[in-house]
Each structure stands twice: as structure tokens, then as C-alpha cells.
Amino acid sequence: PEEEKDEGPQVPTIDLKEIDSEDRVEREKCREELKKAAMDWGVMHLVNHGISDDLTERVKRAGQAFFDQPVEEKEKYANEQASGKIQGYGSKLANNASGQLEWEDYFFHLIYPEDKRDMSIWPKTPSGYTEATSEYARQLRSLATKILAVLSLGLGLEEGRLEKEVGGLEELLLQMKINYYPKCPQPELALGVEAHTDVSALTFILHNMVPGLQLFYKDKWVTAKCVPNSIILHIGDTIEILSNGEYNSILHSG
């Protein structure tokens, strides 16, 4: 067999199966790996995250079905950036990982806490959209609590501290953005989109196994491989600032 060639650094995959284990050794090992990935990379693939494949598939299918509708259906939910109405459906030009321009449609809305949602802009079709997205929001919000607890303990703080600092159950908002890349209507047009860090506390990405995420790690751009059934987690700028730079909000594009 050919020798494996060294592919350089890879985004860590963190198995969360033992994050709340009864077994102290297993639990600490899992939490230590999560903390180390947050310090070193600030981005990771989470597996065994507790959200079922069935639910994540339903969310992806509902998102796809929304974008498969005729444009006049989608326009009913159009946002109006100029008037500050940022929730809803929109389009923009964006750069993909290989530097080509792509047309990106997106749907952006607040999904948690439930009392802050504006249901008038939630898609009525497909019919399963609200149910799947609401359930996903609830489960992802619990996952965020677990992650923030581990990151707090990693800083020598009590486990609820970081979550409290970013707003707690009342004020920490979970916002969802579904990106969709139809074929670019003007392929010869070329505009760049800068790499960025995320201003959020945490960003979770539900991907569709299409490579595209690039990360600036140790002065080099690294392309993240796809890990089946994973959710990608980014540490956002807010957590980097609250941790005095212990945790890393990595520069990325794609």
C-alpha cells in the first residue's frame, strides 16, 4: 500500500459521547479534548452530539424544499436590509472556497428563545419546516449550554459562568442562517468576500458534505474535510474576548 502522505494539520473531530459520562475519567478526557480544540483551533467537528441524524436530515430537507420553490414564493419572505428588517429571505454574491464567485440565497431568522421568534416570517411551506426547525433549535440550545459549561470549567470558572456572561437562557439568541448556492446567474462577474471571524458566542454549522470551509491555522489556509453526521462548531469573537484570548475565534472563509 502507498504510504500515507502527510496532509498537514486537520480540523479536530471531537466525540461528545462521554461529555456527561458517569465515568469521571472518560468525562474528563472528552472535556479536555473539547477545551484543547477550542484553544488550539477554535473550530471542530462535533460527533455524537446528541441530535439525531433523522432530525438534522429533516431540517436540511425543509431548507432545501424552501429554496426549491419558485422565486415569487420565496420573495414573500424577503428581508429589507435598508429598513433594518434583517430576518427573512435574501440573496447576495459570495466567494466560494476556491475563490470563485457564487450567488448565494439565504434565509435568516431567530429561532430561540421561542418567545422572541417572529412566526410571521417563518416559511409556511414546506409544512414540516417549523416543527423540524423548532425541535432542532431546542436541542441545539441544550448542546450550546453543555459546550459553554465545559469552556467555563476550562477557564477555572464555575460551569454556568460563560453562559451567564453571554446572556443566559433569556438573552442568548439562537439565530439560523440557511445558505443555498444556485448556479451563479452571472458567472463572469467577480467580487471578493473577505475572510472573517464570527462575532457570535458560538456558531454551529450543519453542512451537506460539500467541502468548502477554509481556516487560517498557523499562518496557512487549511481546507476542512467533511465528517459525516457532524456539526461544525466555531468559537466566536465573544467567547475569545470573554476568555482573554484563551479560546480562539479562527479566521475562515467559505
Side-chain angles (χ1 to χ4, degrees):
E2 275 183 47
E3 277 185 44
E4 284 284 301
K5 65 176 194 304
D6 177 29
E7 294 176 322
Q10 287 298 320
V11 175
T13 296
I14 305 299
D15 188 337
L16 296 182
K17 196 159 125 233
E18 306 295 346
I19 195 169
D20 291 322
S21 173
E22 299 283 300
D23 179 331
R24 196 178 66 83
V25 176
E26 288 296 323
R27 187 174 69 238
E28 287 310 314
K29 187 166 157 256
C30 170
R31 293 179 173 194
E32 196 54 41
E33 283 173 8
L34 172 60
K35 185 180 95 177
K36 188 169 168 293
M39 288 178 162
D40 186 26
W41 279 84
V43 63
M44 62 202 83
H45 297 281
L46 302 177
V47 294
N48 288 320
H49 40 68
I51 301 176
S52 74
D53 297 347
D54 174 60
L55 179 56
T56 55
E57 275 312 310
R58 278 167 51 213
V59 172
K60 289 181 199 175
R61 276 201 307 272
Q64 180 73 49
F66 172 78
F67 286 111
D68 284 345
Q69 298 180 106
V71 74
E72 46 285 5
E73 268 309 303
K74 294 182 282 196
E75 286 290 347
K76 290 177 185 172
Y77 302 95
N79 60 11
E80 294 164 23
Q81 298 279 358
S83 64
K85 185 181 160 229
I86 56 171
Q87 294 195 76
Y89 168 73
S91 286
K92 67 174 189 183
L93 286 164
N95 241 14
N96 71 11
S98 50
Q100 297 156 314
L101 193 76
E102 287 191 343
W103 191 261
E104 174 192 299
D105 281 7
Y106 64 89
F107 194 92
F108 176 77
H109 59 146
L110 184 148
I111 57 175
Y112 203 88
E114 290 177 2
D115 60 354
K116 291 195 167 71
R117 303 185 306 190
D118 175 2
M119 297 312 290
S120 71
I121 61 130
W122 284 49
K124 308 283 180 288
T125 52
S127 56
Y129 183 95
T130 297
E131 192 193 344
T133 302
S134 300
E135 184 52 37
Y136 179 64
R138 278 193 288 275
Q139 294 194 25
L140 199 61
R141 186 64 189 79
S142 310
L143 180 59
T145 292
K146 282 184 190 179
I147 303 283
L148 289 167
V150 172
L151 296 177
S152 282
L153 294 168
L155 295 169
L157 304 169
E158 67 276 14
E159 62 182 284
R161 182 66 188 277
L162 276 180
E163 181 159 355
K164 199 169 108 212
E165 294 294 336
V166 294
L169 275 176
E170 295 300 305
E171 297 302 323
L172 182 57
L173 307 177
L174 195 55
Q175 317 209 62
M176 178 151 121
K177 183 168 177 239
I178 309 171
N179 292 328
Y180 177 70
Y181 298 97
K183 284 282 165 264
C184 180
Q186 282 180 280
E188 74 286 355
L189 200 58
L191 295 168
V193 172
E194 269 122 80
H196 63 285
T197 56
D198 290 330
V199 294
S200 60
L202 299 173
T203 303
F204 295 92
I205 303 174
L206 197 54
H207 57 89
N208 55 2
M209 291 300 287
V210 177
L213 180 63
Q214 291 196 305
L215 307 135
F216 197 63
Y217 179 73
K218 298 197 171 161
D219 302 327
K220 287 196 181 70
W221 283 100
V222 175
T223 301
K225 285 192 169 160
C226 294
V227 175
N229 305 329
S230 72
I231 294 176
I232 297 171
L233 167 68
H234 281 276
I235 302 295
D237 295 351
T238 307
I239 296 294
E240 178 172 306
I241 292 162
L242 285 172
S243 70
N244 280 334
E246 284 283 314
Y247 298 128
N248 181 24
S249 174
I250 197 167
L251 189 66
H252 57 278
S253 71

